[in-house]
Amino acid sequence: MKIALMDSGIGLLAATAAVRRLRPDADLVLSLDPDGMPWGPRTPEDLTRRALDVAEAAAARRPDALIVGCNTASVHALPALRARLEPGIPVIGTVPAIKPAAAGGGPFAIWATPATTGSAYQRGLIADFADGVPVTEVPCWGLAEAIEHADEAAIEAAVAAAAALTPAEVTTVVLGCTHYELVAERIRAAVQRPGAAPLVLHGSAGAVAAQALRRLGELPASGAPAEGGLTVLLSGREGELPAAALHYAEGRLLPAVEPFADRH
């Protein structure tokens, strides 16, 4: 089994690690776009063109499924990606975990990029799944960029700024950008109030990985031999994981296995 994941940068690491944990025997293709990142400030049309190019590079390696490991790309480019690749290659998008967060019933916050915060897309998810539940949309200025570059000081400052915008009564935080899952425990520490119940964090990586297996009719097999290979594509060129990826536990899970050049 071969699963491809795509993003402009290392935000796809959380879903990649989730796939690796569920199926250590799966070959992985990571398709990034260092030439075009970040995607967030681009127009929807420009972002869609970049996403299609990155997806085509991944599709050339003949994966069984493609995970769009990026909230922004899922918002703007998912219909075009599915039109281009399905039914031959199932395409799995990433949606903020607003529905399970709302099911908890308590007030929750959605941490997302400034471009996503307040967007019609996010407001639609809130209306569909969180009607009657108090929701605070928190714009996280510079957090994804700081995580992308493993800039510790910038991460600390951005997390602190977003935590300051998060109401004290919040019991749950939705991580509405895949990058944020790489620093989930730092977010938890910043938002957790002394004496309050443990803060609940909702990311998307686990659900996206599980959905990819379901689309393929496969079951988790975490005890399978860790034989899955890894190929990294950088704007279509075969390369290595960006150095910043190794700053995070999810990135350090990956380089232990050699590429599967003989299995393309």
Side-chain angles (χ1 to χ4, degrees):
M1 179 169 54
K2 186 187 296 186
I3 295 179
L5 299 97
M6 59 170 282
D7 189 5
S8 63
I10 62 174
L12 52 64
L13 286 178
T16 302
V19 172
R20 180 63 94 209
R21 292 186 184 105
L22 289 177
R23 290 299 298 257
D25 57 333
D27 290 333
L28 301 177
V29 178
L30 307 188
S31 190
L32 288 70
D33 187 26
D35 293 356
M37 66 174 297
W39 283 351
R42 292 181 177 274
T43 65
E45 296 76 17
D46 191 23
L47 186 154
T48 297
R49 283 193 292 270
R50 301 294 314 186
L52 285 169
D53 287 346
V54 169
E56 292 281 10
R61 303 305 175 108
R62 295 181 292 177
D64 299 300
L66 172 67
I67 292 172
V68 184
C70 172
N71 293 91
T72 303
S74 296
V75 170
H76 296 297
L78 195 57
L81 292 168
R82 285 180 167 156
R84 180 74 59 88
L85 298 179
E86 290 188 341
I89 300 174
V91 179
I92 297 91
T94 299
V95 176
I98 292 172
K99 185 176 181 180
F108 69 94
I110 306 168
W111 283 33
T113 63
T116 299
T117 300
S119 66
Y121 169 76
Q122 185 161 289
R123 292 279 168 86
L125 291 175
I126 293 169
D128 289 343
F129 299 120
D131 186 32
V133 179
V135 181
T136 301
E137 296 180 272
V138 177
C140 300
W141 296 95
L143 181 54
E145 293 81 1
I147 294 168
E148 180 69 32
H149 296 102
D151 184 332
E152 281 293 321
I155 292 170
E156 182 177 355
V159 167
L165 297 175
T166 304
E169 65 271 17
V170 157
T171 60
T172 300
V173 172
V174 174
L175 303 178
C177 170
T178 53
H179 279 79
Y180 302 170
E181 297 189 51
L182 301 179
V183 295
E185 291 311 309
R186 296 175 66 163
I187 292 171
R188 184 191 305 280
V191 178
Q192 181 69 54
R193 311 296 179 183
L199 184 75
V200 177
L201 296 181
H202 281 286
S204 303
V208 166
Q211 176 65 5
L213 294 187
R214 282 194 293 270
R215 290 285 302 271
L216 294 174
E218 296 279 354
L219 294 173
S222 57
E227 298 173 345
L230 175 69
T231 289
V232 177
L233 304 174
L234 304 174
S235 299
R237 308 176 297 274
E238 192 160 334
E240 298 180 352
L241 278 173
L246 304 183
H247 187 76
Y248 305 102
E250 293 85 348
R252 294 192 294 272
L253 272 179
L254 303 176
V257 181
E258 291 297 316
F260 49 93
D262 58 327
R263 288 178 277 174
H264 283 166

